[in-house]
């Protein structure tokens, strides 16, 4: 066990198109000095245009490649059995007109959602009632309450999403980032399971 090679597959990797993926790219290694550095440069997979955007590399591919070079090495494999490699193909430039249309659609939709919510809970009557309880006067436009309330909605959304444009307020992830992270994990699990099914069909 003293001279064992310790391997831990990373969970995800992003590479450029037609890149050569090495063992050091997809694995954390622990061995003795010179051989460890040589192993990091060992080629594992050459990406091809036909691979698409995602590639699944299984730990068995890594072990098979290692055994071909070091047949007698003792392996201690830890971590996930597969790694997802994302090929960063060039993206098309976004159309400013399409971006503006989507932004406008989202802006109107979110505004309508807020207004419909306020209508459902009778927010106008609530403001008028609070104004009457505080001042003793009736008003159908208690602006000194409605204006701060409207500003507070915007500030509340900024604090909730923890972003001011591209800048984060603090290091805590926003609820949206957490949801996107969970969504990405579910996608990764789907890709892995789908790849396993495809491999089983191929073997049959």
């Amino acid at each position: 066990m003293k001279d064992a090679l310790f391997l831990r597959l990373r969970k995800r990797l992003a590479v450029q198109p037609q890149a050569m993926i090495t063992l050091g790219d997809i694995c954390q290694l622990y061995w003795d000095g010179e051989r460890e550095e040589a192993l990091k440069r060992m080629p594992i997979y050459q990406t091809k245009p036909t691979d698409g955007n995602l590639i699944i590399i299984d730990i068995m591919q890594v072990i098979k490649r290692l055994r071909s070079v070091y047949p007698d090495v003792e392996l201690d494999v830890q971590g996930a059995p597969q790694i997802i490699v994302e090929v960063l193909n060039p993206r098309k430039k976004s159309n400013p007109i399409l971006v503006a249309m989507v932004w406008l659609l989202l802006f109107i939709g979110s505004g309508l959602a807020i207004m419909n919510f306020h209508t459902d809970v009778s927010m106008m009557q609530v403001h008028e009632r609070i104004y009457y309880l505080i001042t003793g006067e009736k008003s159908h436009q208690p602006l000194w309450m409605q204006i701060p309330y409207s500003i507070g909605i915007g500030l509340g959304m900024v604090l909730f999403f923890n972003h001011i444009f591209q800048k984060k307020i603090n290091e805590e992830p926003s609820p949206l980032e957490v949801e996107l992270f969970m969504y990405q994990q579910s996608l990764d699990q789907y890709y892995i399971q789908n790849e396993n099914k495809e491999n089983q069909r191929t073997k049959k």
Side-chain angles (χ1 to χ4, degrees):
M1 196 70 176
K2 183 179 179 181
D3 197 36
L5 169 58
F6 293 88
L7 296 173
R8 181 190 293 271
L9 273 184
R10 306 180 195 277
K11 291 185 178 180
R12 198 174 181 89
L13 175 69
V15 298
Q16 296 298 322
Q18 300 185 13
M20 174 59 73
I21 301 172
T22 64
L23 187 61
D25 293 331
I26 62 174
C27 284
Q28 292 176 293
L29 305 174
Y30 180 76
W31 211 11
D32 58 3
E34 292 183 2
R35 290 189 295 180
E36 182 178 324
E37 290 302 318
L39 276 179
K40 288 182 179 180
R41 296 189 294 271
M42 178 184 291
I44 298 296
Y45 188 83
Q46 172 71 55
T47 60
K48 303 181 293 293
T50 55
D51 288 331
N53 295 330
L54 292 174
I55 304 167
I56 308 294
I57 297 180
D58 193 271
I59 189 62
M60 297 306 295
Q61 294 175 252
V62 177
I63 294 174
K64 185 178 179 180
R65 182 74 177 91
L66 284 170
R67 289 296 187 196
S68 66
V69 182
Y70 299 99
D72 299 324
V73 67
E74 185 175 356
L75 299 176
D76 190 331
V77 181
Q78 302 176 4
Q82 292 105 356
I83 178 174
I84 296 177
V85 180
E86 181 182 3
V87 181
L88 301 176
N89 292 313
R91 295 185 178 180
K92 296 181 180 179
K93 291 185 178 180
S94 56
N95 188 335
I97 297 176
L98 183 60
V99 171
M101 291 177 61
V102 172
W103 180 87
L104 184 63
L105 179 65
L106 292 175
F107 179 80
I108 295 173
S110 59
L112 288 173
I114 293 173
M115 288 189 290
N116 289 332
F117 168 76
H118 286 164
T119 301
D120 290 340
V121 299
S122 303
M123 188 60 70
M124 176 65 77
Q125 288 81 355
V126 172
H127 283 173
E128 292 175 3
R129 182 63 177 170
I130 295 174
Y131 182 85
Y132 175 74
L133 292 174
I134 295 175
T135 65
E137 299 177 0
K138 290 187 176 181
S139 174
H140 295 294
Q141 291 183 332
L143 296 180
W144 66 269
M145 289 186 59
Q146 293 175 338
I147 292 174
Y149 175 78
S150 300
I151 296 173
I153 291 177
L155 292 176
M157 295 297 287
V158 169
L159 293 174
F160 180 77
F161 288 106
N162 196 25
H163 270 82
I164 300 178
F165 296 104
Q166 296 294 328
K167 187 176 182 181
K168 293 186 69 173
I169 299 174
N170 53 50
E171 294 301 318
E172 181 180 349
S174 68
L176 181 60
E177 288 174 323
V178 173
E179 287 297 324
L180 287 174
F181 174 76
M182 295 176 65
Y183 175 71
Q184 186 63 60
Q185 282 192 319
S186 299
L187 277 182
D188 291 349
Q189 191 63 32
Y190 170 80
Y191 291 138
I192 290 172
Q193 290 185 356
N194 190 60
E195 180 70 14
N196 290 338
K197 289 180 181 178
E198 290 295 329
N199 289 340
Q200 290 176 0
R201 290 175 184 172
T202 304
K203 291 178 181 178
K204 291 180 181 179

